Amino acid sequence: MKPETHGHHRAFARALRRSLGVAAVALAVGTTPSFAQAPKIKEGGTMVVALPGDPDSLNAGIVTDISTSNLSGQFYSTIVRQDTEGQVQPYLAESWDISEDGKTYTFHLFKDIKWHDGTPFTAEDIAWSLWNINKEYNGPASGLLEAVERIEAVDDHTVVFHLKYAYPPLLRGLTYFNSSTILPKHIFEGGDPRQNPASFNPVGTGPFVFKEYVRGSHIVLEKYADFHLKGQPHLDRLVFQIIPNEAARALALEKGEIDYMPYYAISLSDVERLKDVASVKITIAPRQIAGEYMGFINNRKEPLSKKEVRQALYYAINREEILEKAGFGFGRVSTGPISSEQTIFYTGDVRQYPYDPAKAEEMLDAAGYPKGADGKRFGIRVSYDVKEGPMDDTAKLMRLHLARIGIDLKIEPLDSNAWREKSFKQWDFDITMGSFSTGPDPAIGTERLYVCRNIEPLFARNASGYCNPKLDEIFAEAAKESDEPKRVALYHEAQKILAEDVPHLWIWDRLYPIAFNAKLTGLPAEPTQYGPYDLVGWTE
């Protein structure tokens, strides 16, 4: 934990957001009228991107790790993409039609697309990979495709989504690489995709071709000369440099050894220092995915199976202090399962849990967990992925807070694979923390974490084991509702139920600072922050 409080960081974070929040749009560049224009780009060159560690996979269809999704966005594609305003634009599909009842989506694909190995791309790749890989192995996709009855490849260049009911979030959800990566059927068919060598040697349709991966060092991608969106990409080469040390990443950007630190690679403690470096630009990236730092609480066994104990944890943990010291003020203390960054659906009109350790102690006594002779009530564990920088300080602060009321918190930092295995497959945890999306729509990002049907041993699903049939009914109704005010009211009701039951520990709603070489333009290119760097280039 950092020895100093940095009390001014929150004010700085908010000022940065006010002054640069619009810049995130202004910096984007495009080659079509769909994207905002920016300074003239010099074609060619290399961009070096910082990675905080080795990715768990190079296939976002099976692993929704942040760096995996970002990398997949370079060599794979989605059916559609978003422009800088968040409007859906062509990508693999050049156009689409939606039936009047909202239950049939027909996508008309570009006709000159080839996989990087020269194999023709067809509608069957979309139908097969979304249904057989994304839907089966990918947490966000399980929510996105729940409304879909079947996906039909009508011919090589037409794919139709037949829905059980109208589902407004579908189109925008298909722009996200952590739920909708299109994979080659001819490579993945006939086996477990998690064991397929192509998950680390990808063949895609995206703007960059995979060339090399040296674990612990770098990943190299090169421009795809036959990319179907002509005139893109602008860069000749992408290098993802693996730099586990936070301070080393910031120094490398300052010295010009790397060019871009995505939101998941920048240490919040470095933002204020980097803002004074003339060669570096910093902005808050717009992210409709609206992430929250949260902890899954294992609801399966005592003491955490008792709602009153979970509520007591909230009163015992000073989340304001955690945001200040671990998050450097980049965010807002969470009030529930939907981030305040999702302004349409968020409500703060739910049960609140201000820091009140005395109340926490009263609740624990009443719940049957008094202090013993040694001053302790019980012990629990908290685990997290070591690549998720703020979680280390968060855990240390939580241990101090809980010790004050007699709870012994054991901290278990884990490497990415071990964290996923223990927490999401074996359910071997008491609290396990990380950053999880609540958007771009609650039907996609939020629902998946709490509904009964998603209690299954897969990443980014309902690992807590919480099941509330009434809540499931509300989520199901909200997903089908086409009247927005009614949808909003339903999600407000869901937030109230969850804020009462607290199956998760919601810590803070994230903001996303990024830092990059001032001579780059086109970053960030779109509000998912997973998408391709085909619009990025050097201005001089």
Side-chain angles (χ1 to χ4, degrees), residues 162-176:
H162 299 277
L163 276 61
K164 306 169 194 172
Y165 44 83
Y167 185 69
L170 179 67
L171 188 62
R172 182 163 279 110
L174 290 173
T175 69
Y176 278 78

Side-chain angles (χ1 to χ4, degrees), residues 67-138:
S67 56
T68 297
S69 297
N70 191 196
L71 282 157
S72 291
Q74 311 316 315
F75 36 76
Y76 289 121
S77 306
T78 48
I79 302 173
V80 285
R81 66 192 293 179
Q82 292 186 51
D83 65 16
T84 56
E85 303 295 334
Q87 298 302 310
V88 179
Q89 300 290 342
Y91 201 18
L92 290 172
E94 61 180 340
S95 64
W96 53 91
D97 308 303
I98 304 173
S99 63
E100 287 189 11
D101 63 4
K103 293 169 65 176
T104 306
Y105 287 65
T106 303
F107 293 92
H108 308 282
L109 309 179
F110 285 100
K111 295 181 174 61
D112 59 348
I113 304 175
K114 291 184 178 180
W115 293 99
H116 295 161
D117 64 2
T119 303
F121 165 81
T122 72
E124 185 62 30
D125 290 306
I126 291 176
W128 184 86
S129 66
L130 285 178
W131 203 254
N132 293 281
I133 297 183
N134 289 266
K135 190 173 188 292
E136 291 298 315
Y137 299 98
N138 177 304

Side-chain angles (χ1 to χ4, degrees), residues 115-313:
W115 293 99
H116 295 161
D117 64 2
T119 303
F121 165 81
T122 72
E124 185 62 30
D125 290 306
I126 291 176
W128 184 86
S129 66
L130 285 178
W131 203 254
N132 293 281
I133 297 183
N134 289 266
K135 190 173 188 292
E136 291 298 315
Y137 299 98
N138 177 304
S142 70
L144 175 66
L145 299 177
E146 175 63 22
V148 180
E149 186 173 59
R150 61 191 172 95
I151 307 173
E152 177 188 11
V154 176
D155 57 42
D156 283 354
H157 303 109
T158 310
V159 63
V160 180
F161 287 64
H162 299 277
L163 276 61
K164 306 169 194 172
Y165 44 83
Y167 185 69
L170 179 67
L171 188 62
R172 182 163 279 110
L174 290 173
T175 69
Y176 278 78
F177 279 88
N178 73 336
S179 61
S180 307
T181 296
I182 305 303
L183 301 164
K185 179 182 178 181
H186 69 282
I187 289 178
F188 283 98
E189 188 176 27
D192 186 337
R194 295 170 296 186
Q195 307 303 321
N196 194 309
S199 287
F200 278 100
N201 189 17
V203 174
T205 55
F208 295 94
V209 179
F210 173 80
K211 289 296 179 183
E212 181 182 58
Y213 176 18
V214 178
R215 292 190 67 83
S217 178
H218 62 268
I219 299 169
V220 177
L221 313 178
E222 292 182 358
K223 178 177 181 176
Y224 182 33
D226 292 328
F227 186 51
H228 67 283
L229 298 181
K230 304 307 177 187
Q232 297 165 213
H234 302 298
L235 296 166
D236 287 334
R237 200 166 183 251
L238 285 176
V239 177
F240 286 81
Q241 194 74 42
I242 298 166
I243 309 175
N245 182 272
E246 292 178 348
R249 291 197 294 272
L251 183 61
L253 179 64
E254 197 172 344
K255 293 168 65 176
E257 295 170 354
I258 62 172
D259 305 308
Y260 178 38
M261 286 206 294
Y263 74 89
Y264 59 85
I266 188 170
S267 169
L268 299 178
S269 62
D270 287 321
V271 172
E272 187 169 11
R273 179 173 65 83
L274 287 172
K275 76 179 177 65
D276 295 324
V277 179
S279 62
V280 172
K281 283 186 178 180
I282 294 178
T283 190
I284 300 293
R287 297 209 72 224
Q288 295 170 343
I289 209 156
E292 283 189 23
Y293 279 114
M294 65 177 72
F296 289 71
I297 301 175
N298 197 329
N299 287 222
R300 296 174 178 85
K301 58 184 179 180
E302 291 192 27
L304 298 178
S305 59
K306 290 191 174 184
K307 178 177 73 173
E308 294 77 14
V309 172
R310 300 194 299 270
Q311 291 174 337
L313 291 181

